[in-house]
mmCIF file of all heavy atoms in Angstrom:
data_model
loop_
_atom_site.group_PDB
_atom_site.id
_atom_site.type_symbol
_atom_site.label_atom_id
_atom_site.label_comp_id
_atom_site.label_asym_id
_atom_site.label_seq_id
_atom_site.Cartn_x
_atom_site.Cartn_y
_atom_site.Cartn_z
ATOM 1 N N MET A 44 -1.968 -18.274 -5.378
ATOM 2 C CA MET A 44 -2.441 -17.697 -4.230
ATOM 3 C C MET A 44 -2.733 -18.818 -3.141
ATOM 4 O O MET A 44 -3.070 -19.868 -3.530
ATOM 5 C CB MET A 44 -3.699 -16.981 -4.449
ATOM 6 C CG MET A 44 -3.588 -15.841 -5.431
ATOM 7 S SD MET A 44 -2.471 -14.620 -4.943
ATOM 8 C CE MET A 44 -3.484 -13.876 -3.535
ATOM 9 N N LYS A 45 -2.685 -18.481 -1.879
ATOM 10 C CA LYS A 45 -3.014 -19.416 -0.848
ATOM 11 C C LYS A 45 -4.469 -19.595 -0.907
ATOM 12 O O LYS A 45 -5.267 -18.778 -0.930
ATOM 13 C CB LYS A 45 -2.645 -18.735 0.556
ATOM 14 C CG LYS A 45 -2.943 -19.729 1.651
ATOM 15 C CD LYS A 45 -2.390 -19.204 2.952
ATOM 16 C CE LYS A 45 -3.150 -17.934 3.378
ATOM 17 N NZ LYS A 45 -2.647 -17.461 4.669
ATOM 18 N N GLY A 46 -4.830 -20.889 -1.042
ATOM 19 C CA GLY A 46 -6.232 -21.272 -1.165
ATOM 20 C C GLY A 46 -6.535 -21.256 -2.722
ATOM 21 O O GLY A 46 -6.962 -20.241 -3.262
ATOM 22 N N GLY A 47 -6.301 -22.307 -3.420
ATOM 23 C CA GLY A 47 -6.286 -22.413 -4.836
ATOM 24 C C GLY A 47 -7.618 -22.019 -5.436
ATOM 25 O O GLY A 47 -7.801 -21.637 -6.557
ATOM 26 N N ASN A 48 -8.668 -22.029 -4.561
ATOM 27 C CA ASN A 48 -10.015 -21.704 -5.140
ATOM 28 C C ASN A 48 -10.070 -20.146 -5.553
ATOM 29 O O ASN A 48 -11.033 -19.830 -6.281
ATOM 30 C CB ASN A 48 -11.101 -22.017 -4.109
ATOM 31 C CG ASN A 48 -10.836 -21.288 -2.848
ATOM 32 O OD1 ASN A 48 -9.769 -21.141 -2.412
ATOM 33 N ND2 ASN A 48 -11.908 -20.762 -2.181
ATOM 34 N N PHE A 49 -9.165 -19.344 -5.124
ATOM 35 C CA PHE A 49 -9.114 -17.877 -5.616
ATOM 36 C C PHE A 49 -8.768 -17.781 -7.005
ATOM 37 O O PHE A 49 -8.903 -16.791 -7.679
ATOM 38 C CB PHE A 49 -8.320 -17.153 -4.699
ATOM 39 C CG PHE A 49 -8.719 -17.015 -3.267
ATOM 40 C CD1 PHE A 49 -7.897 -16.684 -2.246
ATOM 41 C CD2 PHE A 49 -10.108 -17.311 -2.957
ATOM 42 C CE1 PHE A 49 -8.220 -16.671 -0.931
ATOM 43 C CE2 PHE A 49 -10.485 -17.242 -1.584
ATOM 44 C CZ PHE A 49 -9.574 -16.880 -0.587
ATOM 45 N N ARG A 50 -7.985 -18.839 -7.583
ATOM 46 C CA ARG A 50 -7.199 -18.704 -8.708
ATOM 47 C C ARG A 50 -7.982 -18.067 -9.920
ATOM 48 O O ARG A 50 -7.554 -17.242 -10.624
ATOM 49 C CB ARG A 50 -6.605 -20.038 -9.124
ATOM 50 C CG ARG A 50 -5.382 -19.914 -10.174
ATOM 51 C CD ARG A 50 -4.919 -21.237 -10.443
ATOM 52 N NE ARG A 50 -3.746 -21.199 -11.267
ATOM 53 C CZ ARG A 50 -2.545 -21.270 -10.838
ATOM 54 N NH1 ARG A 50 -2.255 -21.382 -9.601
ATOM 55 N NH2 ARG A 50 -1.551 -21.181 -11.687
ATOM 56 N N ASP A 51 -9.264 -18.541 -10.099
ATOM 57 C CA ASP A 51 -9.983 -18.118 -11.330
ATOM 58 C C ASP A 51 -10.449 -16.724 -11.194
ATOM 59 O O ASP A 51 -10.911 -16.128 -12.202
ATOM 60 C CB ASP A 51 -11.266 -19.088 -11.430
ATOM 61 C CG ASP A 51 -10.890 -20.509 -11.781
ATOM 62 O OD1 ASP A 51 -9.780 -20.656 -12.313
ATOM 63 O OD2 ASP A 51 -11.641 -21.396 -11.581
ATOM 64 N N ARG A 52 -10.399 -16.110 -10.027
ATOM 65 C CA ARG A 52 -10.836 -14.831 -9.785
ATOM 66 C C ARG A 52 -9.719 -13.819 -9.772
ATOM 67 O O ARG A 52 -9.941 -12.672 -9.618
ATOM 68 C CB ARG A 52 -11.567 -14.686 -8.486
ATOM 69 C CG ARG A 52 -12.807 -15.619 -8.417
ATOM 70 C CD ARG A 52 -13.420 -15.562 -7.022
ATOM 71 N NE ARG A 52 -13.975 -14.316 -6.693
ATOM 72 C CZ ARG A 52 -14.505 -13.993 -5.486
ATOM 73 N NH1 ARG A 52 -14.466 -14.966 -4.525
ATOM 74 N NH2 ARG A 52 -15.003 -12.746 -5.250
ATOM 75 N N LEU A 53 -8.488 -14.268 -9.993
ATOM 76 C CA LEU A 53 -7.373 -13.425 -9.810
ATOM 77 C C LEU A 53 -6.323 -13.561 -11.013
ATOM 78 O O LEU A 53 -6.170 -14.654 -11.501
ATOM 79 C CB LEU A 53 -6.571 -13.740 -8.560
ATOM 80 C CG LEU A 53 -7.404 -13.595 -7.253
ATOM 81 C CD1 LEU A 53 -6.587 -14.154 -6.112
ATOM 82 C CD2 LEU A 53 -7.643 -12.046 -6.958
ATOM 83 N N CYS A 54 -5.648 -12.464 -11.319
ATOM 84 C CA CYS A 54 -4.423 -12.428 -11.939
ATOM 85 C C CYS A 54 -3.659 -11.291 -11.422
ATOM 86 O O CYS A 54 -4.221 -10.415 -10.718
ATOM 87 C CB CYS A 54 -4.562 -12.436 -13.558
ATOM 88 S SG CYS A 54 -5.491 -11.134 -14.216
ATOM 89 N N PHE A 55 -2.374 -11.233 -11.606
ATOM 90 C CA PHE A 55 -1.613 -10.228 -10.865
ATOM 91 C C PHE A 55 -1.238 -8.977 -11.559
ATOM 92 O O PHE A 55 -1.236 -8.937 -12.761
ATOM 93 C CB PHE A 55 -0.206 -10.918 -10.558
ATOM 94 C CG PHE A 55 -0.327 -11.913 -9.470
ATOM 95 C CD1 PHE A 55 -0.388 -13.254 -9.849
ATOM 96 C CD2 PHE A 55 -0.494 -11.644 -8.107
ATOM 97 C CE1 PHE A 55 -0.548 -14.314 -8.832
ATOM 98 C CE2 PHE A 55 -0.504 -12.609 -7.235
ATOM 99 C CZ PHE A 55 -0.606 -13.935 -7.523
ATOM 100 N N LEU A 56 -1.217 -7.927 -10.750
ATOM 101 C CA LEU A 56 -0.838 -6.589 -11.211
ATOM 102 C C LEU A 56 0.566 -6.230 -10.866
ATOM 103 O O LEU A 56 0.946 -6.325 -9.711
ATOM 104 C CB LEU A 56 -1.785 -5.560 -10.489
ATOM 105 C CG LEU A 56 -1.587 -4.122 -10.820
ATOM 106 C CD1 LEU A 56 -1.995 -3.950 -12.284
ATOM 107 C CD2 LEU A 56 -2.511 -3.247 -9.914
ATOM 108 N N CYS A 57 1.395 -5.768 -11.767
ATOM 109 C CA CYS A 57 2.765 -5.410 -11.562
ATOM 110 C C CYS A 57 2.799 -4.096 -10.904
ATOM 111 O O CYS A 57 1.806 -3.305 -10.821
ATOM 112 C CB CYS A 57 3.494 -5.512 -12.901
ATOM 113 S SG CYS A 57 5.202 -5.076 -12.708
ATOM 114 N N ASN A 58 4.032 -3.760 -10.517
ATOM 115 C CA ASN A 58 4.259 -2.442 -9.794
ATOM 116 C C ASN A 58 3.989 -1.284 -10.866
ATOM 117 O O ASN A 58 3.677 -0.206 -10.414
ATOM 118 C CB ASN A 58 5.691 -2.345 -9.367
ATOM 119 C CG ASN A 58 5.917 -3.227 -8.139
ATOM 120 O OD1 ASN A 58 4.908 -3.689 -7.494
ATOM 121 N ND2 ASN A 58 7.141 -3.487 -7.662
ATOM 122 N N THR A 59 4.273 -1.534 -12.021
ATOM 123 C CA THR A 59 4.080 -0.558 -13.138
ATOM 124 C C THR A 59 3.039 -1.069 -14.119
ATOM 125 O O THR A 59 3.128 -2.120 -14.547
ATOM 126 C CB THR A 59 5.432 -0.233 -13.864
ATOM 127 O OG1 THR A 59 5.944 -1.365 -14.444
ATOM 128 C CG2 THR A 59 6.398 0.349 -12.881
#
Side-chain angles (χ1 to χ4, degrees):
M44 301 297 293
K45 183 169 68 176
N48 57 322
F49 295 158
R50 196 182 185 97
D51 293 339
R52 301 173 64 183
L53 297 170
C54 54
F55 287 97
L56 178 68
C57 182
N58 288 347
T59 58

